[in-house]
Each structure stands twice: as structure tokens, then as C-alpha cells.
Amino acid sequence: MSFTIQNALIPVDSGYETADVQVVDNCISAIALNLEPAGTVIDGKNKLLLPGFVNAHTHSSEMWQRGIIPPLPLELWIAELYDFTPLDPEQVYLSALGTAVETLLSGGTSVVDHLVLIPGQELETIAAAVRAYQEIGIRAFIGPLIQDESLTAGMPSGDSGIEHAAYIRSTKATLELMETAIKQFHNPEKGVNILLAPTGIQLCSDALFEGCIDLSDRYNLCRHAHLLETPAQKQLAYEKYGCSAVEHLQKIGYLSPRTSLAHCVWLDDSDIAIMAETGATVVHNPLSNLRLGSGIAPILKYRQAGVNVSFGCDGAASNDSQDLLEAIKIGSILHNITDLDYRQWITPRQSVEMASLGGAKGLNLADEMGSLTVGKKADLVLYDLTSLSLLPRTDPIGLLILGRPTNAVDSVWVNGKQIVAKGKVKTIDVDALRRELFDRSEWNSKRQSQTVSEIEAHYRQVMKLQGYS
């Protein structure tokens, strides 16, 4: 598959220049002015060409609950989420499609889906997401969300000595399930990658983490997890390990350049040093961190320490969207209030690099994607600079990152295949998807979570909040 994008605006060290970009065999083969056209010719005039961004952490199936969960901290929010998750594989398929569409139309060409599994239908869940991502053509990294401890284990016990019910599936069975999923679904050549993705220290034993390390090493796969999203998780780590969660994960060997960790809000300076030393990636999810009151991750400290940082939307019930450009904007300017030294603030160009090359590094693919470089995969996005939200003409990347772009994505290619043309997804019927999502849902603004009612008093007690009921 060959094509040439002519007269596109591309960023260079000195500003911008107009160039042709040639793609042959799904990779960038040349970048120069006045190239001899190869294959289909694409008009790039008055358009900005950038590498595709990575939506480096989300949970696609949460789409069915977006907009309805009330303001709650993570530990109570997740109880409500799980109380109202009567999903079937067809819903998983539809929500994965929806997640992909929103990611593509906000500049993303890759998505990391920390996929919630339907109990008893785990492989069917993964198959449904795989089907959706392959149909639409986005580059997918699916990390089936696994745990081996029950929901109440995710909260500090304090002095209560609370006993936790056994989880529905043993550690051994969970690891066997993951090995089956790897053998059945991991297929990078067809755009689907399986990650080892325990949910986090709050719901996983060391045996599960160590089993995931073994599988990732044997099959050369990346690892993913949540890490220290909330103050409660920081407190829990010291209860479980007598040290920080980062120290513990380093001791058991989970941290590596092939490891990406979502949130990382409550790390201290020694934790940050460990992250830099091990080469692990932080996935910044600013919108869910604000939505759930989790805190503001110290992203400027991470960058200054040399830690790789990428951006994620997080699940669509904790954000509540998959607008990657919105996450990048908030995740960049939010930190202008955390450090008075404006020379440390994140510039729009740095934001673009974090969202593209930073995302690729977190997936151990920096040599293959993430920049406009000859030889890299043609995961490309063309933005229409005549879009009203990108006018008047000033700095194109500044407009894209600091503004509020709407209908700005003109074209998207993933691995050299055009997925979006003239602002429309080509590979699936988006109108039919909209109808399905509408017909399978209903207006509902009031509901009561039984689990939240059962655990809220304990949460308020261990977090020392006024009133335990």
C-alpha cells in the first residue's frame, strides 16, 4: 500500500515547513519537498501532519455507564461501577467500537484497553474487543484486567480487621486464562497486542504479579497496571508491604522499560527515582484523577527526573469521554499551578511528543512508531487547519493543544491504511453504531448502589472523614 501526502505542514526544530510524505509498504519512506508521487496522492495543503497519539490507558466497556456515576472517590466509585455492569459480549464489542471512534477522531491511532472481563465469559469478552478493534482498524493493545482479591481488599483495613471474601477465580486459573488469551489473540501483524495487566497492588497478590512477569518475559509482552491512584492506595501499600508500592514492585521485578503504569498520583521523590531507574512509563490520566478527586500527579517532577510520561483518557465512566485532545490539554496546563517556575511548564510541542513518542515508548515501540521518521510505521493524523476551531492562523500545534479543536481531524492512517477520510470513519458505519448504543440504553439519572451503602462507613473511617455513616 503506497501513497503520498503532498504539501503538508510538518513541525521542524525551527518551526514548520511544507513537505511531501511518502508511504510505501505501510512505512514512511521519504519526507521532502516535491517528491515524485508514489501511489495515491493526498492533498495536504493547509493541513498539519503529526504522528498518531496513543490513548495509553482506558477501559472501553465503561462507556455504558458514562455520565451517571455520582461524585465519589475511586474506592466507592468502582463499587458502584461493578454493581451496574450487566454486560454481554455484544455490548463489549459496541463500546470498543465507540472508544476507537472517539480516539481516532481526537488524534489517536493506538489504544490501550485495560479490559474489564465478564465473569464466566472472559475469552468471549476479549474476542469481542478484538473483533471491534480489527474491524475499525485502530492499533489495539488489550490488557485483560485481572485480579485475585475481592473488592473490599482494595481499601486499607485500619484497625477494623475486616475479612475479605475469596475472589471468584484463583490465581492459578487467572494466569492460565491469560496464557490462553495470549496464544489465541496476540497478533501484532493484525494490529492486536495482548498485555499482562493486573489491576494493581490493591486487588492483586504478589503471586499474580510474579506470574504476569513470567508470562511477559516468556512471550516478550508489555506489562500494565494501575499504580497509586488514590491516598487510600498509598496507605494500603504500607499496610501490605511496610514500604511504598513502587519499592515493592521494584523488589518483585515488575518495573521495566516494558511496563506502563496508569495514574501514579501519590509517588514521593524516592519512588520517582525508582521509576526513572527502571525505565517504567507513567500514563497521566488527568481527567479521571480530577473527576474522582484522586489528586494531581506530579508530572513536572517526573519529566525533570527523566521518567517517560504519556497520556490516557481512562475509562469513559471516570472521565467521561474518550477525547484524547481534551486529556492532553488538561494534562498539560494543569501543572502550571503546581510549579511556579514557568520554564518547567509543558509546551504544546512537548505535549505532542508525550502523546505520540511517549506513548510508543510505554509500549516498547519507540523504534517503530511515535514520530515522523523515515522507516517508522505510517500511523499518521492530518488536521484541517481551516477548521474554525483552529483559526485564525497562529501556531498550529499551539492551536491544537491549547485550544478546543472540534471536527479538526481530516484523515487518519494506521499502519498505512486510511481509517478516516474528510473527517469520517471509513471502516465501519458510525451511524449504525450510534443507533445501537442508543437503542441498547435508556435515560436513567437515579439509582442506588448496594455495595456503596455497605462499604461507605468503613471507607470514611479509614480515611478519617467526618462522620462514619
Side-chain angles (χ1 to χ4, degrees), residues 254-315:
Y254 195 76
L255 305 181
S256 78
R258 290 190 287 125
T259 305
S260 61
L261 299 157
H263 302 293
C264 298
V265 177
W266 293 93
L267 276 62
D268 58 27
D269 289 347
S270 60
D271 294 331
I272 294 171
I274 291 171
M275 294 288 286
E277 177 189 339
T278 57
T281 289
V282 169
V283 183
H284 187 25
N285 300 275
L287 289 158
S288 64
N289 292 343
L290 293 171
R291 161 81 150 92
L292 305 179
S294 301
I296 299 175
I299 297 303
L300 300 185
K301 280 188 173 184
Y302 293 140
R303 288 174 50 79
Q304 291 163 34
V307 177
N308 183 52
V309 180
S310 58
F311 292 103
C313 288
D314 206 357

Side-chain angles (χ1 to χ4, degrees), residues 118-139:
I118 303 169
Q121 295 182 284
E122 292 86 356
L123 292 175
E124 291 89 342
T125 306
I126 301 168
V130 168
R131 176 163 66 99
Y133 292 135
Q134 287 187 324
E135 281 183 14
I136 200 166
I138 199 168
R139 196 180 296 278

Side-chain angles (χ1 to χ4, degrees), residues 166-187:
Y167 189 60
I168 58 171
R169 190 175 50 243
S170 71
T171 305
K172 181 175 182 290
T174 298
L175 292 169
E176 289 172 350
L177 169 67
M178 282 311 307
E179 186 158 23
T180 299
I182 293 165
K183 292 176 179 178
Q184 190 168 333
F185 299 112
H186 183 65
N187 193 341

